[in-house]
């Protein structure tokens, strides 16, 4: 069994049996998943490596099989397999949208390969035209230098620059490109290739400007891949056409075209459907304090929790399937899952202790829920029957087996609310066979409002104080 498979087995066991609303269970879970971000993946076969990378991509060109073959070929030739990610310093902040392909590239490093993080100090002067309706304002050398100042520090949580990852500026080689060399390359690229871009066509049809610099941006960017002899390039789906140009220019230069992996773009935290971006103000800066990262992730709509898990965590599909089952069964509350997501991402940037502290602070400030304020809850008046029968009579379960499963997953609880706050007692399957009278006597509560919580459903218990 591979190290990753062992980790998945451990996490799956926790997800199936733990009370995922509790501090200790979440701490145990995040301890394992956070450790996975530094897990040695070199025991995966080339095919397993390709499958792990492919599982989180929107486009993989030409195929996962080609990626596996390229990894195996590099090993057979006793040379490093080289993967890259590039970013232009058009702003000073790196955000979680940028982090999606970086997290994927970090796995490549842990597979034992060489990764190169390229900052486009020259290409930033052109400005990536992807998706833009007009030409990007030119940046001065001073703007670029200022934006570059903290880039390496900001991306350090995702790469280990002390163990083979390389941080490079493309100006180191692009400033040496001669005009005859550039003309030689451009002469072999049809104009129709960059004009495949829908954003370019729309701008031309609307009579808007399109500069020659923008037209050759992808060609200039492709020279980064030629310089490092790239085997695999990873970027967002908005970079897919740029990366395809990389394959073309590498072929023109007599090199084997790189494998291209494009990741999905994540929506911003505002839930409007717009991608995460600084211009929209719906982003999470990776340099933000732990409490801010946690809080911003807690603000996302519930529908974005699963896509964020897929994009921003090391969780695998089987693990996500378990939480989906628990959500459907009512034994995991969406808010509790969102807290796990927020903790997962915060821990990736700021380490586990900071993430758990941010969780505690958030819970103390924002997560005080009161059932006493809800007027239309069903009421349980007969306390002399087993809890199992009460749950079925309420319509919260259809069989004794359903009640047992909820209890096994820590979803069956007695909640007591008083002026001092809210206290919850988790009931076991054995407790569920007792009467409510016996259960409440065992808890020993005599004051406050009392509720029976079954998954996400709640009923008020009438009891004598």
């Amino acid at each position: 069994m591979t190290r990753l498979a062992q980790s998945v087995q451990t996490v799956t066991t926790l997800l199936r049996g733990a009370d995922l609303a509790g501090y200790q269970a979440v701490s145990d879970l995040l301890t394992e998943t956070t450790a996975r971000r530094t897990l040695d993946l070199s025991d995966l076969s080339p095919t397993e490596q390709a499958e792990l990378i492919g599982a989180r991509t929107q486009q993989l060109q030409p195929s996962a099989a080609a990626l596996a073959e390229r990894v195996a070929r590099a090993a057979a030739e006793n040379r490093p397999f080289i993967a890259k990610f590039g970013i232009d310093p058009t702003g000073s902040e790196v955000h979680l949208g940028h982090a999606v392909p970086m997290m994927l590239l970090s796995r490549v490093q842990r597979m034992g390969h060489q990764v190169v993080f390229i900052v486009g100090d020259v290409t930033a002067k052109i400005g990536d035209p992807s998706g833009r309706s007009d030409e990007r304002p030119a940046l001065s050398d001073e703007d670029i230098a200022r934006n570059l100042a903290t880039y390496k520090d900001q991306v350090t949580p995702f790469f280990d620059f002390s163990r083979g990852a390389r941080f490079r500026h493309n100006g180191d080689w692009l400033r040496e490109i001669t005009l005859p060399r550039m003309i030689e390359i451009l002469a072999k690229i049809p104009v129709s290739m960059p004009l495949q871009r829908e954003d370019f066509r729309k701008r031309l049809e609307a009579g808007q400007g399109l500069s020659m610099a923008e037209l050759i941006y992808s060609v200039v960017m492709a020279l980064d891949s030629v310089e490092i002899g790239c085997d695999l390039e990873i970027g967002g789906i908005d970079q897919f056409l740029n990366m395809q140009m990389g394959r073309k220019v590498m072929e023109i230069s007599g090199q084997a075209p790189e494998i291209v992996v494009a990741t999905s773009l994540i929506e911003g935290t505002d839930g409007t459907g717009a991608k995460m971006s600084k211009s929209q103000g719906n982003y999470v800066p990776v340099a933000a304090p732990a409490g801010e990262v946690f809080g911003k992730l807690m603000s996302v709509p519930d529908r974005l929790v699963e896509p964020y898990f897929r994009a921003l965590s090391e969780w695998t599909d089987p693990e996500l399937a378990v939480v989906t089952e628990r959500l459907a069964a009512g034994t995991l509350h969406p808010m509790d899952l969102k807290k796990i997501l927020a903790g997962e991402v915060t821990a990736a940037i700021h380490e586990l202790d900071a993430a758990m502290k941010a969780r505690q602070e958030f819970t103390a400030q924002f997560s005080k829920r009161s059932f006493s304020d809800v007027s239309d809850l069903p009421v349980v008046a007969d306390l002399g029957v087993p809890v199992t029968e009460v749950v079925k009579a309420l319509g919260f379960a259809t069989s004794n087996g359903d009640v047992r499963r909820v209890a096994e997953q820590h979803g069956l609880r007695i909640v007591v609310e008083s002026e001092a706050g809210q206290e919850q007692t988790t009931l076991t399957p054995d407790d569920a066979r007792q009467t409510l009278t016996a259960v409440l006597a065992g808890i020993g509560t005599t004051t406050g409002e009392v509720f029976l919580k079954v998954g996400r459903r709640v009923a008020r218990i009438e009891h004598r104080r």
Side-chain angles (χ1 to χ4, degrees), residues 91-113:
S92 60
E93 289 183 311
V94 178
H95 59 68
L96 287 183
H98 300 132
V100 176
M102 289 195 289
M103 289 182 177
L104 202 57
L105 191 63
S106 74
R107 297 179 195 174
V108 177
Q109 181 178 17
R110 288 181 282 117
M111 291 169 182
H113 306 309

Short mmCIF file of all heavy atoms in Angstrom, two decimals, residues 91-113:
data_model
loop_
_atom_site.label_atom_id
_atom_site.label_comp_id
_atom_site.label_asym_id
_atom_site.label_seq_id
_atom_site.Cartn_x
_atom_site.Cartn_y
_atom_site.Cartn_z
N GLY A 91 0.23 42.37 -9.83
CA GLY A 91 -0.22 42.87 -8.55
C GLY A 91 0.70 42.36 -7.47
O GLY A 91 1.53 41.47 -7.72
N SER A 92 0.55 42.87 -6.27
CA SER A 92 1.47 42.49 -5.20
C SER A 92 0.99 41.30 -4.39
O SER A 92 1.74 40.72 -3.61
CB SER A 92 1.69 43.68 -4.25
OG SER A 92 0.45 44.07 -3.67
N GLU A 93 -0.29 40.90 -4.56
CA GLU A 93 -0.85 39.82 -3.74
C GLU A 93 -1.09 38.56 -4.56
O GLU A 93 -1.65 38.61 -5.65
CB GLU A 93 -2.17 40.25 -3.11
CG GLU A 93 -2.03 41.28 -2.00
CD GLU A 93 -3.36 41.60 -1.37
OE1 GLU A 93 -4.33 41.88 -2.11
OE2 GLU A 93 -3.46 41.58 -0.13
N VAL A 94 -0.70 37.44 -4.00
CA VAL A 94 -1.07 36.13 -4.52
C VAL A 94 -2.31 35.69 -3.75
O VAL A 94 -2.36 35.84 -2.52
CB VAL A 94 0.07 35.11 -4.33
CG1 VAL A 94 -0.35 33.73 -4.82
CG2 VAL A 94 1.33 35.58 -5.05
N HIS A 95 -3.33 35.17 -4.46
CA HIS A 95 -4.54 34.76 -3.74
C HIS A 95 -4.84 33.28 -4.00
O HIS A 95 -4.12 32.60 -4.75
CB HIS A 95 -5.73 35.65 -4.10
CG HIS A 95 -6.09 35.68 -5.56
ND1 HIS A 95 -6.63 34.60 -6.23
CD2 HIS A 95 -6.02 36.69 -6.48
CE1 HIS A 95 -6.88 34.94 -7.49
NE2 HIS A 95 -6.50 36.19 -7.67
N LEU A 96 -5.89 32.78 -3.37
CA LEU A 96 -6.18 31.35 -3.44
C LEU A 96 -6.53 30.89 -4.85
O LEU A 96 -6.35 29.71 -5.17
CB LEU A 96 -7.33 31.00 -2.48
CG LEU A 96 -6.99 31.02 -0.99
CD1 LEU A 96 -8.20 30.59 -0.16
CD2 LEU A 96 -5.80 30.10 -0.70
N GLY A 97 -7.01 31.80 -5.70
CA GLY A 97 -7.24 31.42 -7.09
C GLY A 97 -5.94 31.02 -7.77
O GLY A 97 -5.88 30.04 -8.52
N HIS A 98 -4.86 31.78 -7.50
CA HIS A 98 -3.54 31.41 -8.02
C HIS A 98 -3.05 30.10 -7.41
O HIS A 98 -2.29 29.36 -8.03
CB HIS A 98 -2.51 32.51 -7.68
CG HIS A 98 -2.82 33.86 -8.22
ND1 HIS A 98 -2.77 34.99 -7.45
CD2 HIS A 98 -3.19 34.26 -9.46
CE1 HIS A 98 -3.09 36.05 -8.20
NE2 HIS A 98 -3.35 35.63 -9.41
N ALA A 99 -3.48 29.83 -6.17
CA ALA A 99 -2.94 28.68 -5.44
C ALA A 99 -3.43 27.35 -5.98
O ALA A 99 -2.80 26.32 -5.73
CB ALA A 99 -3.30 28.80 -3.96
N VAL A 100 -4.54 27.33 -6.72
CA VAL A 100 -5.08 26.05 -7.21
C VAL A 100 -4.05 25.28 -8.04
O VAL A 100 -3.73 24.13 -7.72
CB VAL A 100 -6.40 26.27 -7.98
CG1 VAL A 100 -6.89 24.95 -8.57
CG2 VAL A 100 -7.45 26.88 -7.07
N PRO A 101 -3.50 25.86 -9.12
CA PRO A 101 -2.47 25.10 -9.86
C PRO A 101 -1.18 24.93 -9.06
O PRO A 101 -0.47 23.94 -9.25
CB PRO A 101 -2.23 25.96 -11.12
CG PRO A 101 -2.71 27.33 -10.77
CD PRO A 101 -3.83 27.13 -9.81
N MET A 102 -0.88 25.87 -8.15
CA MET A 102 0.33 25.71 -7.35
C MET A 102 0.23 24.49 -6.43
O MET A 102 1.21 23.78 -6.22
CB MET A 102 0.59 26.98 -6.53
CG MET A 102 1.05 28.16 -7.37
SD MET A 102 1.76 29.50 -6.38
CE MET A 102 0.31 30.15 -5.59
N MET A 103 -0.95 24.25 -5.87
CA MET A 103 -1.13 23.09 -5.01
C MET A 103 -0.94 21.80 -5.81
O MET A 103 -0.37 20.82 -5.32
CB MET A 103 -2.51 23.12 -4.36
CG MET A 103 -2.65 24.19 -3.29
SD MET A 103 -4.27 24.16 -2.49
CE MET A 103 -4.06 25.46 -1.26
N LEU A 104 -1.40 21.80 -7.05
CA LEU A 104 -1.21 20.63 -7.91
C LEU A 104 0.27 20.45 -8.22
O LEU A 104 0.79 19.32 -8.20
CB LEU A 104 -2.02 20.81 -9.20
CG LEU A 104 -2.38 19.54 -9.98
CD1 LEU A 104 -3.16 18.58 -9.11
CD2 LEU A 104 -3.18 19.91 -11.22
N LEU A 105 0.97 21.54 -8.47
CA LEU A 105 2.39 21.46 -8.76
C LEU A 105 3.18 21.01 -7.54
O LEU A 105 4.21 20.32 -7.68
CB LEU A 105 2.90 22.82 -9.24
CG LEU A 105 4.31 22.85 -9.83
CD1 LEU A 105 4.40 21.99 -11.09
CD2 LEU A 105 4.74 24.28 -10.15
N SER A 106 2.70 21.34 -6.35
CA SER A 106 3.40 20.89 -5.15
C SER A 106 3.38 19.37 -5.04
O SER A 106 4.32 18.76 -4.53
CB SER A 106 2.78 21.52 -3.89
OG SER A 106 1.53 20.93 -3.58
N ARG A 107 2.31 18.75 -5.54
CA ARG A 107 2.28 17.28 -5.56
C ARG A 107 3.35 16.73 -6.49
O ARG A 107 3.97 15.71 -6.20
CB ARG A 107 0.90 16.79 -6.02
CG ARG A 107 -0.23 17.17 -5.10
CD ARG A 107 -1.56 16.67 -5.62
NE ARG A 107 -2.65 17.33 -4.91
CZ ARG A 107 -3.93 17.19 -5.22
NH1 ARG A 107 -4.29 16.42 -6.23
NH2 ARG A 107 -4.87 17.82 -4.53
N VAL A 108 3.54 17.42 -7.61
CA VAL A 108 4.56 16.98 -8.56
C VAL A 108 5.94 16.99 -7.90
O VAL A 108 6.74 16.08 -8.07
CB VAL A 108 4.55 17.86 -9.82
CG1 VAL A 108 5.66 17.44 -10.78
CG2 VAL A 108 3.19 17.76 -10.52
N GLN A 109 6.21 18.03 -7.11
CA GLN A 109 7.49 18.07 -6.40
C GLN A 109 7.62 16.90 -5.44
O GLN A 109 8.68 16.26 -5.36
CB GLN A 109 7.66 19.39 -5.63
CG GLN A 109 9.01 19.46 -4.90
CD GLN A 109 9.23 20.77 -4.16
OE1 GLN A 109 8.30 21.51 -3.91
NE2 GLN A 109 10.48 21.04 -3.83
N ARG A 110 6.52 16.58 -4.73
CA ARG A 110 6.59 15.50 -3.76
C ARG A 110 6.64 14.12 -4.42
O ARG A 110 6.93 13.12 -3.77
CB ARG A 110 5.40 15.60 -2.80
CG ARG A 110 5.57 16.78 -1.84
CD ARG A 110 4.45 16.91 -0.85
NE ARG A 110 3.26 17.52 -1.43
CZ ARG A 110 2.10 16.92 -1.54
NH1 ARG A 110 1.95 15.66 -1.15
NH2 ARG A 110 1.06 17.54 -2.07
N MET A 111 6.35 14.07 -5.71
CA MET A 111 6.55 12.84 -6.47
C MET A 111 8.02 12.62 -6.82
O MET A 111 8.38 11.60 -7.40
CB MET A 111 5.70 12.87 -7.75
CG MET A 111 4.21 12.78 -7.50
SD MET A 111 3.24 13.15 -9.00
CE MET A 111 1.56 13.02 -8.36
N GLY A 112 8.83 13.61 -6.49
CA GLY A 112 10.26 13.49 -6.72
C GLY A 112 10.76 14.22 -7.94
O GLY A 112 11.91 14.03 -8.36
N HIS A 113 9.94 15.10 -8.51
CA HIS A 113 10.31 15.79 -9.74
C HIS A 113 10.76 17.22 -9.45
O HIS A 113 10.57 17.75 -8.36
CB HIS A 113 9.13 15.79 -10.72
CG HIS A 113 8.59 14.42 -10.98
ND1 HIS A 113 9.39 13.36 -11.34
CD2 HIS A 113 7.31 13.91 -10.89
CE1 HIS A 113 8.65 12.27 -11.49
NE2 HIS A 113 7.39 12.58 -11.22
#
